[in-house]
Amino acid sequence: MVRRSRIIRHAAVAAATLLVSAGLGSTALAATPAPPESRLSPASPAFPMEPNPEAVRLAAYWSADRMTAAVPDASGSDREPGARTSPPTVDGPRPGEVIPPSKSFDGIPEAGTFFWTDASGTGRTCSGSVVRSPDHDLVLSAGHCLKGYAGASPVRHLGFVPQYHDGLKPFGVFPVKDNGVYVSQEYYDRGEHAGASYDFGFAVTEPNEDGRRLQDAVGAVQLLTGSGYAHNPVRMIGYPGTAQKPLECVSRTTKWVSDDTADPGTFSRIACDGFVGGTSGGPMLVPWPGGWAVIGVIGGYHTGGNTPQVSYSAYFGDATQNLYEAAASGATPAGPGS
């Protein structure tokens, strides 16, 4: 296991390296208070480190072969070229726009990918990031990644693998709890496109095979809400479908007002090359004291965008904060038709 102090030092060094190499300046970020942390240490008797049978079962199911064969979530397929019959011409690179390149790397502990099986038994994936929470157990992703898994679990093998790469599970598997998926009721009611402004969600996890809670094992990023649309620099991370490593890219976010009546709203826009299906739910990160903060996830407008060069996020405002608080407090989650 990697100690949290080492994770923080690594994140700080990575942030500095990225900023220097990208040559980008920074802007002031609107801070939101950090959530209250549990006052009990991981070694406290209240949190015994006992094996979690469900995590052991999932770790056995998700072999390297099954993980490498998994494909992107079937919903939110607009990111693939040609997925929509007549996309607005303005969705994508602008004439003369410089598109920063992405690169493959081994990932960071605070980001990873969900694995699950669909109704046909096909392995599916979507990206996510660990956010600070009182119970050290929350993963942030896109609503279109999580919306099909409300309520009690069917046989779906749904779990989160932090820093997945090359068929490896460096920190094990963290099962998603029954009734542990939180997506806004507005998103369920309006759907992926009319509800694009609510395309975010949280998953509550169980401990891994060793009985270790998620945030204790890998650290976490700070959730920022109400901080505006313009951020520079932004580090975006996502797991392309069938790729064995995640991508990262450094760019900036700007405000995007939808021109598509089917996908109404105002979103964060970012240009970064190579972010195709599977990267949905991947975090948009900004430097933050001690590591990183997340200001968006790939999704929202056209479930993340029609081209691999430009991505979007639903704006993180009051609706995001309210959903986070519901997930962190264990409130009854919303669901289809509720």
Side-chain angles (χ1 to χ4, degrees):
M1 295 296 178
V2 179
R3 293 184 182 273
R4 180 170 172 78
S5 59
R6 289 177 57 196
I7 294 169
I8 290 173
R9 287 198 298 271
H10 173 76
V13 171
T17 302
L18 282 167
L19 304 193
V20 171
S21 63
L24 297 174
S26 62
T27 56
L29 301 176
T32 57
E37 299 289 344
S38 170
R39 286 179 169 77
L40 296 172
S41 74
S44 165
F47 295 105
M49 299 272 287
E50 297 179 356
N52 180 358
E54 176 62 12
V56 173
R57 183 187 70 80
L58 274 187
Y61 180 84
W62 287 113
S63 63
D65 287 345
R66 280 198 172 110
M67 291 189 295
T68 56
V71 296
D73 176 29
S75 66
S77 58
D78 290 356
R79 297 194 58 74
E80 304 299 342
R84 289 170 69 98
T85 56
S86 57
T89 56
V90 291
D91 180 1
R94 297 163 179 160
E97 182 176 18
V98 175
I99 308 296
S102 60
K103 67 176 182 178
S104 177
F105 76 127
D106 284 347
I108 62 174
E110 301 94 332
T113 186
F114 288 97
F115 287 98
W116 71 92
T117 52
D118 64 16
S120 70
T122 301
R124 298 288 185 177
T125 67
C126 232
S127 303
S129 55
V130 184
V131 294
R132 293 176 186 167
S133 65
D135 289 336
H136 296 196
D137 57 3
L138 283 189
V139 184
L140 167 69
S141 188
H144 70 261
C145 290
L146 298 174
K147 69 180 178 62
Y149 297 93
S153 172
V155 179
R156 63 190 183 187
H157 309 292
L158 176 58
F160 181 71
V161 179
Q163 202 177 1
Y164 169 76
H165 66 90
D166 301 299
L168 301 176
K169 304 184 285 275
F171 300 94
V173 180
F174 294 81
V176 175
K177 289 183 176 180
D178 283 357
N179 295 301
V181 169
Y182 288 80
V183 175
S184 293
Q185 189 64 57
E186 290 88 348
Y187 196 70
Y188 286 120
D189 294 344
R190 301 181 190 184
E192 291 179 357
H193 295 290
S197 293
Y198 299 91
D199 192 4
F200 43 77
F202 297 91
V204 183
T205 62
E206 296 179 4
N208 67 0
E209 304 94 297
D210 299 325
R212 196 161 173 80
R213 293 177 299 167
L214 179 58
Q215 186 175 326
D216 298 331
V218 304
V221 300
Q222 175 67 42
L223 175 68
L224 283 188
T225 59
S227 60
Y229 295 89
H231 294 278
N232 180 16
V234 176
R235 182 189 190 189
M236 187 161 68
I237 297 174
Y239 282 79
T242 71
Q244 298 312 303
K245 295 179 185 289
L247 293 176
E248 67 174 349
C249 172
V250 176
S251 188
R252 65 190 71 198
T253 56
T254 57
K255 186 176 182 178
W256 175 258
V257 180
S258 171
D259 68 322
D260 188 347
T261 57
D263 283 60
T266 304
F267 305 89
S268 296
R269 178 189 187 274
I270 183 170
C272 270
D273 196 21
F275 282 77
V276 296
T279 59
S280 286
M284 299 176 187
L285 304 171
V286 295
W288 191 252
W292 302 96
V294 58
I295 51 90
V297 296
I298 299 171
Y301 183 61
H302 294 175
T303 56
N306 278 318
T307 74
Q309 292 81 32
V310 176
S311 299
Y312 300 88
S313 172
Y315 179 64
F316 280 11
D318 290 344
T320 317
Q321 184 66 33
N322 292 340
L323 188 64
Y324 166 82
E325 291 173 0
S329 67
T332 301
S338 64

